[in-house]
Amino acid sequence: MVTFYTIARSVVKSVLMPLYRIEVRGIEHFPKEGGVLLCSNHIDNLDPPVVGITAPRPILFMAKEELFKVPVFGKMLANLNAFPVKRGASDREALRKGLKFLKEGKVLGLFPEGTRSKTGEIGEGMAGAGFFALRTDAQVVPCAIIGPYKMFRKVKVIYGPPIDMEELRSRKASAEETTAVIMSHIRRLKEEAY
């Protein structure tokens, strides 16, 4: 079935792939089914569409609530599988939705840093990624985006193998510790790419 998401994905892919010479690695690691928590570093506003066009499955993204208040753009975001989250507070409704999507076997995309890195360095992640990883049996896939985004210069998107969460889940690790483990995997992907 053709949806707005699939049409938009094709259009955006046809523009961004050649413009930024996007190179994708590790796509074979991406689980073909079941819930997936996709965690990536965040260097630019283009990260969500770039992850959306390179991942092999449709992704649901949390996006800051303010974006949904922008006329036309907010409606478009909703049609692109995004849902609002209040930043700077524990948004129970957004957390419930995220858990529900993962339990339904969908892909939830997160940028654990919560905001773009101004230096391109990978920062500390917020506890939300750990929260979702610990409260579901979703596979956690790290992703590193290596830029910067400059026209006709290569941007790399690297997917790593799912992180083994068994030990963290069994000993009931904290969300903060779990997020730190996820961020360390993202950093390693970036380091290994150099």
Side-chain angles (χ1 to χ4, degrees), residues 165-180:
M165 303 301 295
E166 191 177 329
E167 191 262 337
L168 290 162
R169 286 172 179 153
S170 65
R171 69 176 170 83
K172 295 183 173 35
S174 70
E176 291 79 8
E177 180 188 353
T178 304
T179 297

Side-chain angles (χ1 to χ4, degrees), residues 103-123:
K103 288 174 181 172
E104 288 173 350
K106 295 179 178 165
V107 181
L108 177 63
L110 291 183
F111 298 98
E113 294 159 289
T115 189
R116 295 180 310 278
S117 167
K118 292 180 175 45
T119 63
E121 293 304 310
I122 297 174

Side-chain angles (χ1 to χ4, degrees), residues 59-95:
I59 303 173
L60 293 134
F61 282 109
M62 284 185 173
K64 60 184 178 180
E65 184 181 49
E66 302 83 51
L67 294 175
F68 289 85
K69 295 174 181 167
V70 178
V72 182
F73 186 67
K75 183 81 172 153
M76 192 171 72
L77 272 179
N79 287 323
L80 290 171
N81 296 348
F83 62 100
V85 62
K86 294 182 181 90
R87 294 199 311 172
S90 178
D91 184 343
R92 290 174 196 258
E93 180 58 27
L95 294 174

Side-chain angles (χ1 to χ4, degrees), residues 21-182:
R21 296 180 51 219
I22 297 169
E23 177 186 317
V24 185
R25 294 188 201 163
I27 207 74
E28 69 277 5
H29 298 304
F30 210 100
K32 291 181 175 40
E33 55 189 31
V36 174
L37 179 63
L38 175 60
C39 296
S40 176
N41 62 317
H42 198 7
I43 59 171
D44 194 278
N45 285 330
L46 287 170
D47 294 341
V50 164
V51 171
I53 63 172
T54 58
R57 293 172 56 190
I59 303 173
L60 293 134
F61 282 109
M62 284 185 173
K64 60 184 178 180
E65 184 181 49
E66 302 83 51
L67 294 175
F68 289 85
K69 295 174 181 167
V70 178
V72 182
F73 186 67
K75 183 81 172 153
M76 192 171 72
L77 272 179
N79 287 323
L80 290 171
N81 296 348
F83 62 100
V85 62
K86 294 182 181 90
R87 294 199 311 172
S90 178
D91 184 343
R92 290 174 196 258
E93 180 58 27
L95 294 174
R96 267 195 295 273
K97 271 189 183 171
L99 289 172
K100 175 180 171 284
F101 294 140
L102 289 170
K103 288 174 181 172
E104 288 173 350
K106 295 179 178 165
V107 181
L108 177 63
L110 291 183
F111 298 98
E113 294 159 289
T115 189
R116 295 180 310 278
S117 167
K118 292 180 175 45
T119 63
E121 293 304 310
I122 297 174
E124 299 302 311
M126 297 194 296
F131 170 85
F132 288 118
L134 293 169
R135 286 193 170 59
T136 66
D137 59 1
Q139 296 195 67
V140 180
V141 174
C143 173
I145 301 170
I146 303 170
Y149 288 91
K150 292 199 173 167
M151 284 195 281
F152 308 114
R153 299 256 314 268
K154 191 179 286 185
V155 170
K156 293 178 187 170
V157 181
I158 304 167
Y159 294 98
I163 302 166
D164 183 359
M165 303 301 295
E166 191 177 329
E167 191 262 337
L168 290 162
R169 286 172 179 153
S170 65
R171 69 176 170 83
K172 295 183 173 35
S174 70
E176 291 79 8
E177 180 188 353
T178 304
T179 297
V181 169
I182 294 168

